[in-house]
Amino acid sequence: MGSRTGLIGWFGIVVAIILLRGATAATVYEVGDSLGWTVPPNTSYYSTWASTKTFFLGDKLSFNWTTGTHTVAEVSKDEYDNCTKVSSYIGSPVIFTPPSTGSYYFICTVDDHCTRGQKLAFTVVSTPTVGSPPDESPTSSSASSLSVGALFAVLSTSVIYIFLGF
């Protein structure tokens, strides 16, 4: 019995570690999903895309394009609103990791791409903790959708088994 009790206890600890690591794993977002970073089919494409995501500190955004000439420029809100051309990153992909919480603004500085909708605004919030609402994006870690209740259920079951000698 003793070896089985120890095995169950270790199993509970391993499951808890896996749940905790998955719940705080960073997500890599492909900006625009399958469309990528390009002139979109409508001017609200990237704002709609961003509105379906929750960006946490530690997440990464990949600006990737395979056709056409594009750039990625991090700009102020005013420059974003007015599509002001500034220095930009050239070459694909551009990986951006937000350094802090807050709002971020990006535009393409090629020709009229920005005015045609190739611009992205998003907000970064604090790092998620166990029990945070899950991100609904298809690229997020499935482990992060586990709730605190699931974690406690696993741990409680393990503790019960240990005390009852199963």
Side-chain angles (χ1 to χ4, degrees):
M1 276 298 168
S3 65
R4 193 165 70 175
T5 302
L7 180 62
I8 292 171
W10 280 109
F11 175 75
I13 292 170
V14 168
V15 169
I17 290 170
I18 290 169
L19 290 173
L20 289 172
R21 287 191 60 173
T24 59
T27 300
V28 177
Y29 291 95
E30 180 74 28
V31 173
D33 292 330
S34 61
L35 180 67
W37 183 243
T38 190
V39 177
N42 59 63
T43 57
S44 63
Y45 181 85
Y46 289 107
S47 60
T48 300
W49 176 84
S51 72
T52 65
K53 316 279 186 262
T54 301
F55 300 99
F56 292 105
L57 202 55
D59 288 346
K60 297 176 186 312
L61 284 87
S62 175
F63 293 82
N64 192 17
W65 59 94
T66 56
T67 60
T69 301
H70 303 287
T71 62
V72 178
E74 184 178 1
V75 295
S76 68
K77 181 168 181 358
D78 186 55
E79 292 166 331
Y80 172 86
D81 290 339
N82 295 305
C83 290
T84 305
K85 293 187 179 187
V86 298
S87 296
S88 54
Y89 304 102
I90 299 171
S92 176
V94 171
I95 308 294
F96 176 74
T97 304
S100 61
T101 58
S103 296
Y104 292 88
Y105 305 92
F106 291 88
I107 65 172
C108 178
T109 61
V110 174
D111 299 328
D112 64 347
H113 293 191
C114 180
T115 58
R116 291 173 50 201
Q118 193 174 357
K119 60 186 194 173
L120 172 68
F122 63 94
T123 301
V124 176
V125 296
S126 298
T127 305
T129 57
V130 174
S132 294
D135 180 6
E136 298 301 322
S137 78
T139 59
S140 68
S141 169
S142 60
S144 66
S145 65
L146 295 172
S147 67
V148 170
L151 174 62
F152 285 128
V154 170
L155 293 176
S156 298
T157 303
S158 298
V159 169
I160 289 169
Y161 277 114
I162 290 169
F163 284 125
L164 293 178
F166 290 116

